[in-house]
Each structure stands twice: as structure tokens, then as C-alpha cells.
Amino acid sequence: DTEVTQTPKHLVMGMTNKKSLKCEQHMGHRAMYWYKQKAKKPPELMFVYSYEKLSINESVPSRFSPECPNSSLLNLHLHALQPEDSALYLCASSQDGDPLSEQYFGPGTRLTVT
Amino acid sequence: GQQLNQSPQSMFIQEGEDVSMNCTSSSIFNTWLWYKQDPGEGPVLLIALYKAGELTSNGRLTAQFGITRKDSFLNISASIPSDVGIYFCAGSTITDSWGKLQFGAGTQVVVTP
């Protein structure tokens, strides 16, 4: 089973709203990732959690706040977003934070900021 | 920093034809991954390569890790309509920070009946 699930599938929010994206995996993976993807572009790394600790923050604005409650769950809290933040947000996981290990992606959350 | 050059950018092919795409890097990679992404979905891992010269197949897909460790190619044989999508190569080295993959820009494949 190589399934990563994400909720919601679609999200529309205003610039003053607070919302959260959720990601879950049950593969026993110890590294989880958030990516942002614009149309027809490759995914761009935002955050990496390794063994439930934040190991990489790619200089992401503070209006995006990640949280890893346990090894199976990853959240992305959103607050005061801008229209240019509209994108597909992808969660991924890998066995550990080893850069050589395979990453498995979820289906993504399509976010629209109005 | 490292850059991955993926080509071609797009391909329009007829059903039944073979497809070939490749990625090159300015630096040596230790891992090459190939993903396919359908519209509105997340990338799906097709093939993972870990050794220089490695040739791996997954059904009609074949990928190779170049001998120089700076390139990889993906072939799709006898294309079918469901092969439509964007294919991304991705690579990493043991010197990368934890979990950082470099992605190519993608190859969009369109299959016509």
C-alpha cells in the first residue's frame, strides 16, 4: 500500500480566512513533505518533517504554518493568504528523510484564494 | 545549484507509437525517479533507479540510469490513450539536504487515436 490521502480535495478561501489542509499516510513512513505546484510546473518543496521534527523550511512565508501531530499526520495551516497562493498543494511521504528514498505523493488539495 | 533539463517539453503522438524522453543534469545524481501526473491529481511514481547503468522496466515503461550518473531516460512502448499526462523526472544526491528532490520541468504527452 503506497497511499497518501489528503483532505479536502478542493478549498476556496478568502484572504482573511483561516483553514487547514490535512495529510495522512499509513505506510510507516517517517518523513513527510509539503509541496506547492502551479499549473504545468513541477512541484516546489515547502517543508520537510523527518521523525516528526521540521527539518527543512524552504523560506516559506509565515502565512503557511506546518504541523506534524504524529508520524502519520501532517497539517498545513493557512492564514491571510494571497491570490497568488492559489495552487495545488501536495503532500508526500518517504520511508525516512534519506534523500535517496522514494517519495510517494497524495492526490493534492486544489486551493483557490479569492 | 543543480539543474535538471528535461526534454522534450511536449510530445504529440499517435496511439501505438513509442515515446522517449530524457533528463540531464549538470551534477552527478545518486537516484533518479520518474513520475506521471494526470490533470488535478498528484504525481504517481513510475520507476526508481539507484545504480549507474541500471535498466528497469515496469510494464510498457523502461527507464535507465545513465552511466555518467548525469542523465536518465524513460521510454513508453506502444502508447495508449491513458498514457496522456505530464511526466516528471526527479533526482537527488547524497549531498542533498534531507528529502530534497530536484525536478525536471516535465514532458507533456498527448496521444491521439
Side-chain angles (χ1 to χ4, degrees):
Chain A
D1 182 13
T2 56
E3 187 177 10
V4 177
T5 59
Q6 290 186 243
T7 55
K9 180 76 171 172
H10 301 276
L11 178 62
V12 179
M13 60 185 292
M15 290 188 285
T16 58
N17 292 158
K18 286 185 181 181
K19 297 287 184 182
S20 295
L21 309 184
K22 297 186 183 299
C23 174
E24 189 168 6
Q25 56 87 14
H26 294 288
M27 295 178 278
H29 288 176
R30 302 310 301 269
M32 297 185 76
Y33 311 78
W34 280 116
Y35 287 85
K36 174 183 177 181
Q37 188 180 29
K38 291 284 198 178
K40 300 194 176 181
K41 298 291 186 182
E44 298 174 25
L45 184 65
M46 300 174 70
F47 303 102
V48 180
Y49 273 83
S50 181
Y51 293 87
E52 298 160 50
K53 287 185 168 44
L54 183 64
S55 58
I56 294 177
N57 176 343
E58 290 287 276
S59 302
V60 179
S62 60
R63 57 186 184 269
F64 295 91
S65 176
E67 179 196 20
C68 188
N70 61 55
S71 59
S72 300
L73 294 173
L74 187 66
N75 299 323
L76 186 63
H77 303 298
L78 314 172
H79 173 53
L81 295 192
Q82 304 297 309
E84 60 264 28
D85 296 322
S86 299
L88 182 68
Y89 287 83
L90 295 163
C91 174
S93 71
S94 65
Q95 187 171 358
D96 53 32
D98 183 342
L100 303 187
S101 62
E102 302 157 15
Q103 292 187 23
Y104 295 90
F105 285 86
T109 294
R110 172 69 62 189
L111 174 67
T112 302
V113 181
T114 61
Chain B
Q2 297 165 352
Q3 287 192 335
L4 282 187
N5 296 309
Q6 185 171 352
S7 63
Q9 185 175 358
S10 61
M11 306 183 71
F12 293 80
I13 58 172
Q14 286 198 316
E15 186 175 352
E17 289 183 347
D18 296 345
V19 175
S20 184
M21 62 194 79
N22 69 82
C23 275
T24 59
S25 167
S26 56
S27 303
I28 288 173
F29 277 0
N30 296 100
T31 301
W32 284 99
L33 306 175
W34 285 94
Y35 290 91
K36 176 179 184 259
Q37 187 171 25
D38 292 330
E41 299 293 330
V44 173
L45 182 64
L46 299 174
I47 292 179
L49 302 161
Y50 296 100
K51 290 172 58 176
E54 180 181 358
L55 184 70
T56 297
S57 294
N58 178 6
R60 293 178 297 105
L61 307 176
T62 302
Q64 185 161 28
F65 194 138
I67 291 291
T68 65
R69 295 166 66 191
K70 292 185 177 182
D71 63 323
S72 177
F73 72 76
L74 175 71
N75 286 342
I76 307 172
S77 63
S79 59
I80 59 177
S82 62
D83 291 332
V84 166
I86 300 180
Y87 292 78
F88 290 103
C89 63
S92 65
T93 77
I94 56 174
T95 58
D96 281 330
S97 300
W98 287 90
K100 289 191 74 169
L101 287 177
Q102 308 288 331
F103 281 88
T107 294
Q108 177 146 27
V109 173
V110 177
V111 180
T112 57

Coordinates of all heavy atoms in Angstrom, one line a residue, chain A residues 1-6 23-29 32 91-95 101-108, chain B residues 35 42-48 50 58:
Chain A
D1 N 0.8 -1.2 0.0 CA 0.0 0.0 0.0 C 0.9 1.2 0.0 O 1.7 1.4 0.9 CB -0.9 0.0 1.2 CG -1.9 1.2 1.2 OD1 -2.0 1.9 0.2 OD2 -2.5 1.4 2.3
T2 N 0.7 2.1 -1.0 CA 1.6 3.3 -1.1 C 0.6 4.5 -1.2 O 0.8 5.4 -1.9 CB 2.4 3.2 -2.4 OG1 1.6 3.0 -3.5 CG2 3.5 2.1 -2.3
E3 N -0.4 4.5 -0.3 CA -1.4 5.5 -0.4 C -1.1 6.7 0.6 O -0.9 6.5 1.8 CB -2.8 5.0 -0.1 CG -3.9 6.0 -0.4 CD -5.3 5.4 -0.2 OE1 -5.4 4.2 0.3 OE2 -6.3 6.0 -0.5
V4 N -1.2 7.9 0.1 CA -1.2 9.1 0.9 C -2.5 9.8 0.6 O -2.9 10.0 -0.6 CB 0.0 10.0 0.5 CG1 0.0 11.3 1.3 CG2 1.3 9.3 0.7
T5 N -3.2 10.1 1.7 CA -4.5 10.7 1.5 C -4.5 12.2 1.9 O -3.7 12.6 2.8 CB -5.6 10.0 2.3 OG1 -5.3 10.1 3.7 CG2 -5.8 8.6 1.8
Q6 N -5.2 13.0 1.2 CA -5.3 14.5 1.5 C -6.7 14.9 1.5 O -7.5 14.5 0.7 CB -4.5 15.3 0.5 CG -3.0 15.1 0.5 CD -2.3 16.0 -0.4 OE1 -1.6 15.6 -1.4 NE2 -2.4 17.3 -0.2
C23 N -3.1 15.8 5.7 CA -2.5 14.7 5.0 C -2.3 13.5 5.9 O -1.9 13.7 7.1 CB -1.1 15.2 4.5 SG -0.1 13.9 3.7
E24 N -2.5 12.3 5.4 CA -2.3 11.1 6.3 C -1.7 10.0 5.5 O -2.0 9.8 4.3 CB -3.7 10.7 6.8 CG -3.6 9.6 7.9 CD -4.9 9.4 8.6 OE1 -5.9 10.0 8.2 OE2 -5.0 8.6 9.6
Q25 N -0.8 9.3 6.1 CA -0.2 8.1 5.5 C -0.1 7.0 6.5 O 0.1 7.2 7.7 CB 1.1 8.3 4.8 CG 2.2 8.9 5.7 CD 3.0 7.9 6.5 OE1 3.0 6.7 6.2 NE2 3.8 8.3 7.5
H26 N -0.3 5.7 6.1 CA -0.2 4.6 7.0 C 0.8 3.6 6.5 O 0.6 2.4 6.6 CB -1.6 3.9 7.2 CG -2.6 4.8 7.9 ND1 -2.5 5.1 9.2 CD2 -3.7 5.5 7.4 CE1 -3.5 6.0 9.5 NE2 -4.2 6.2 8.5
M27 N 1.9 4.1 5.9 CA 2.9 3.2 5.4 C 4.1 3.1 6.4 O 5.1 2.4 6.0 CB 3.4 3.8 4.0 CG 2.3 3.8 3.0 SD 2.9 4.5 1.4 CE 2.7 6.2 1.7
G28 N 3.9 3.7 7.5 CA 5.0 3.7 8.5 C 6.2 4.6 8.1 O 7.3 4.4 8.6
H29 N 5.9 5.5 7.1 CA 7.0 6.4 6.7 C 7.3 7.4 7.8 O 6.4 7.8 8.5 CB 6.6 7.1 5.4 CG 6.6 6.2 4.2 ND1 6.2 6.7 3.0 CD2 7.0 5.0 4.1 CE1 6.3 5.7 2.1 NE2 6.8 4.6 2.7
M32 N 7.7 13.3 5.9 CA 6.6 13.8 5.2 C 6.9 15.2 4.7 O 7.7 16.0 5.3 CB 5.3 13.8 6.1 CG 4.9 12.4 6.6 SD 3.4 12.4 7.5 CE 2.2 12.6 6.2
C91 N 1.0 16.7 -0.7 CA 1.7 16.1 0.5 C 2.4 14.8 -0.1 O 1.9 14.2 -1.0 CB 0.7 15.7 1.5 SG 1.3 14.7 2.9
A92 N 3.6 14.5 0.5 CA 4.3 13.3 0.1 C 4.9 12.7 1.3 O 5.0 13.4 2.4 CB 5.4 13.6 -0.9
S93 N 5.3 11.4 1.2 CA 5.9 10.8 2.3 C 7.0 9.9 1.8 O 7.0 9.4 0.6 CB 5.0 10.0 3.2 OG 4.5 8.8 2.5
S94 N 8.0 9.6 2.6 CA 9.0 8.6 2.2 C 9.4 7.8 3.5 O 9.1 8.3 4.6 CB 10.3 9.3 1.6 OG 10.9 10.1 2.5
Q95 N 10.1 6.7 3.3 CA 10.4 5.8 4.4 C 11.1 6.6 5.5 O 10.8 6.4 6.7 CB 11.3 4.7 3.9 CG 11.6 3.6 5.0 CD 12.2 2.4 4.4 OE1 12.5 2.3 3.2 NE2 12.5 1.4 5.2
S101 N 15.6 8.0 -0.8 CA 14.4 7.1 -0.7 C 13.3 7.7 -1.6 O 13.2 8.9 -1.8 CB 14.0 6.9 0.7 OG 13.7 8.2 1.3
E102 N 12.4 6.9 -2.0 CA 11.3 7.2 -2.9 C 10.3 8.0 -2.2 O 9.9 7.7 -1.1 CB 10.7 6.0 -3.5 CG 11.7 5.1 -4.2 CD 11.3 3.6 -4.3 OE1 10.1 3.4 -4.1 OE2 12.1 2.8 -4.7
Q103 N 9.8 9.1 -2.8 CA 8.7 9.9 -2.3 C 7.4 9.5 -3.0 O 7.3 9.4 -4.2 CB 9.0 11.3 -2.4 CG 10.1 11.8 -1.6 CD 10.3 13.3 -1.6 OE1 9.4 14.1 -1.9 NE2 11.5 13.8 -1.3
Y104 N 6.3 9.3 -2.2 CA 5.0 9.0 -2.7 C 4.1 10.2 -2.4 O 4.0 10.6 -1.2 CB 4.5 7.7 -2.0 CG 5.3 6.5 -2.4 CD1 6.4 6.1 -1.6 CD2 5.0 5.8 -3.5 CE1 7.2 5.0 -1.9 CE2 5.8 4.7 -3.8 CZ 6.9 4.3 -3.0 OH 7.6 3.2 -3.4
F105 N 3.4 10.6 -3.4 CA 2.6 11.8 -3.3 C 1.1 11.4 -3.1 O 0.6 10.4 -3.6 CB 2.7 12.6 -4.6 CG 4.0 13.4 -4.8 CD1 5.1 12.7 -5.3 CD2 4.0 14.7 -4.4 CE1 6.3 13.4 -5.4 CE2 5.2 15.4 -4.5 CZ 6.4 14.8 -5.0
G106 N 0.4 12.4 -2.4 CA -1.0 12.3 -2.3 C -1.7 12.9 -3.5 O -1.0 13.5 -4.4
P107 N -3.0 12.9 -3.6 CA -3.7 13.5 -4.8 C -3.8 15.0 -4.8 O -4.1 15.6 -5.8 CB -5.2 12.9 -4.6 CG -5.3 12.7 -3.1 CD -4.0 12.3 -2.6
G108 N -3.4 15.6 -3.7 CA -3.4 17.1 -3.7 C -4.7 17.7 -3.2 O -5.8 17.1 -3.2
Chain B
Y35 N 8.0 10.2 -12.5 CA 6.6 10.3 -12.1 C 5.8 10.6 -13.3 O 6.2 11.3 -14.2 CB 6.5 11.4 -11.1 CG 7.1 11.2 -9.7 CD1 8.4 11.6 -9.5 CD2 6.4 10.6 -8.7 CE1 9.0 11.4 -8.2 CE2 6.9 10.4 -7.4 CZ 8.2 10.8 -7.2 OH 8.8 10.6 -6.0
G42 N -2.1 14.0 -8.0 CA -0.7 14.1 -7.6 C 0.1 13.2 -8.5 O -0.4 12.3 -9.1
P43 N 1.5 13.5 -8.5 CA 2.4 12.6 -9.3 C 2.4 11.2 -8.7 O 2.4 11.0 -7.5 CB 3.7 13.3 -9.0 CG 3.4 14.7 -8.6 CD 2.1 14.6 -7.8
V44 N 2.4 10.2 -9.6 CA 2.5 8.8 -9.3 C 3.9 8.3 -9.7 O 4.3 8.5 -10.8 CB 1.4 8.0 -10.0 CG1 1.6 6.5 -9.8 CG2 0.0 8.5 -9.6
L45 N 4.5 7.7 -8.7 CA 5.9 7.1 -9.0 C 5.8 5.9 -10.0 O 5.0 5.0 -9.7 CB 6.5 6.7 -7.7 CG 7.9 6.1 -7.8 CD1 8.9 7.2 -8.3 CD2 8.4 5.6 -6.4
L46 N 6.5 6.1 -11.1 CA 6.5 5.0 -12.1 C 7.7 4.1 -11.9 O 7.6 2.8 -11.9 CB 6.6 5.6 -13.5 CG 5.5 6.6 -13.9 CD1 5.8 7.2 -15.2 CD2 4.2 5.8 -14.0
I47 N 8.9 4.7 -11.8 CA 10.2 3.9 -11.8 C 11.2 4.6 -10.9 O 11.3 5.8 -11.0 CB 10.7 3.6 -13.2 CG1 9.8 2.7 -14.0 CG2 12.1 3.0 -13.1 CD1 10.3 2.4 -15.4
A48 N 11.9 3.9 -10.1 CA 13.0 4.4 -9.3 C 14.3 3.7 -9.7 O 14.3 2.5 -9.9 CB 12.8 4.2 -7.8
Y50 N 18.6 3.5 -9.0 CA 19.6 3.7 -7.9 C 21.0 3.5 -8.3 O 22.0 3.9 -7.6 CB 19.3 2.9 -6.7 CG 17.9 3.3 -6.0 CD1 16.8 2.5 -6.3 CD2 17.8 4.4 -5.3 CE1 15.6 2.8 -5.7 CE2 16.6 4.7 -4.7 CZ 15.5 3.9 -4.9 OH 14.3 4.3 -4.4
N58 N 8.8 -1.4 -16.1 CA 7.5 -1.5 -15.4 C 6.4 -1.6 -16.5 O 5.9 -0.5 -16.9 CB 7.3 -0.3 -14.5 CG 6.0 -0.3 -13.7 OD1 5.3 -1.3 -13.8 ND2 5.8 0.8 -13.0

